[in-house]
Amino acid sequence: MIIKSAVFISSEVSLPKYPRPVIPEYAFIGRSNVGKSSLINMLTGNKSLARTSEEPGKTRTINHYMINESWYIVDLPGYGFARTSKSTREKWEAMIHQYLQGRLSLMNVFLLVDSRITPQASDLSMANKLGLLGIPFTILFTKSDKISSTILEKHRAIFRKSMEEHWEEVPRIIVTSSKTSTGKEEILKFIEKTNPLFKPQAQDTYYKKPGKI
Ligand code: GTP
Ligand code: MG
């Protein structure tokens, strides 16, 4: 798929304020600094679309970008950012949870994992949460340009093994790099194939009521 347009739509922090969920949507989730915003810029070919930073904790709201006037990419705050206050961390986590639970137009979550390290408890717990919520997801290994292919494969095998402890079927793992554009075609091809599966919701079912999982 060729990205012809990528436009910033909104930066909000609560479900009723997000754009009407009438087109397919794909969210990028992961620990702070894993490379979510950079990956969105790489996919859209626009380096200044989503704001990035060397410091974790850059993205603090839920940001919608409209692609090709027909679907959304969503950039989220990171989880597990230890240097922020407990109350801010809890606020971001609640925001992410409310978004995941209530966003009916969400077609797939891309769960970003740093390819340079072994599986982190917070990543595995996010994968489990997505499973409990019944949200399809794909794992994206980020920053692959920073490690050798041998270590990358080792980490991929370890990650797969950790997932196998909880899952019958391990979700797809795509290796990416925002520096070299590795993974771009595979991700865009996946989105292109998934878009036609979108089912528009009736007006009154746009938002699911919040609840506990
Ligand atoms: P938060 O918004 O704080 O949660 O972070 P984020 O996940 O959006 O990360 P961001 O895209 O801001 O990137 C964090 C840092 O990692 C920046 O300094 C990026 O330049 C760097 N980075 C991201 N992706 C890559 C990559 O694929 N390769 C390399 N070498 N650096 C990357
Ligand atoms: Mg970000």
Side-chain angles (χ1 to χ4, degrees):
M1 174 174 24
I2 295 166
I3 305 253
K4 295 190 208 109
S5 63
V7 181
F8 169 75
I9 300 292
S10 65
S11 175
E12 295 289 352
V13 296
S14 79
L15 199 54
K17 295 263 179 78
Y18 304 144
R20 290 176 64 216
V22 290
I23 53 174
E25 181 161 316
Y26 299 85
F28 291 76
I29 284 183
R31 287 186 307 119
S32 294
N33 207 245
V34 72
K36 301 174 290 296
S37 303
S38 304
L39 196 87
I40 289 169
N41 291 345
M42 180 273 269
L43 289 176
T44 56
N46 181 346
K47 279 204 166 80
S48 51
L49 189 67
R51 282 203 217 132
T52 66
S53 168
E54 282 172 29
E55 295 292 317
K58 181 70 179 170
T59 310
R60 290 154 184 250
T61 53
I62 295 196
N63 301 301
H64 278 78
Y65 301 95
M66 192 186 275
I67 312 300
N68 291 351
E69 297 179 1
S70 55
W71 52 278
Y72 289 124
I73 274 182
V74 181
D75 193 11
L76 294 150
Y79 52 79
F81 176 31
R83 264 178 287 161
T84 190
S85 70
K86 191 167 176 253
S87 67
T88 305
R89 227 168 39 226
E90 283 173 358
K91 201 173 74 188
W92 290 356
E93 274 158 23
M95 196 198 307
I96 295 169
H97 180 78
Q98 187 206 38
Y99 169 82
L100 289 176
Q101 203 191 30
R103 194 67 178 163
L104 298 178
S105 51
L106 185 57
M107 301 297 282
N108 190 76
V109 164
F110 292 103
L111 174 56
L112 279 67
V113 174
D114 192 330
S115 65
R116 297 170 300 173
I117 52 177
T118 49
Q120 303 291 295
S122 55
D123 294 329
L124 296 171
S125 109
M126 178 52 81
N128 281 330
K129 178 185 233 173
L130 293 169
L132 287 172
L133 288 169
I135 299 171
F137 65 99
T138 312
I139 309 283
L140 302 184
F141 263 27
T142 66
K143 309 190 185 183
S144 67
D145 57 285
K146 286 192 160 189
I147 52 160
S148 71
S149 54
T150 318
I151 297 183
L152 183 85
E153 281 319 314
K154 195 173 138 204
H155 287 169
R156 205 206 302 232
I158 297 172
F159 196 89
R160 198 171 275 145
K161 208 161 168 226
S162 313
M163 296 284 297
E164 275 165 1
E165 286 167 19
H166 302 277
W167 299 80
E168 266 176 43
E169 208 184 312
V170 176
R172 181 160 161 185
I173 300 176
I174 302 178
V175 173
T176 74
S177 161
S178 300
K179 285 264 164 3
T180 65
S181 293
T182 303
K184 179 174 180 174
E185 256 182 57
E186 197 173 345
I187 296 168
L188 292 180
K189 209 173 271 174
F190 172 80
I191 292 174
E192 189 172 32
K193 272 195 359 206
T194 309
N195 274 342
L197 308 177
F198 177 71
K199 289 194 192 83
Q201 305 290 324
Q203 289 277 346
D204 58 349
T205 58
Y206 277 168
Y207 305 112
K208 248 197 244 170
K209 288 215 175 81
K212 292 227 161 80
I213 58 160

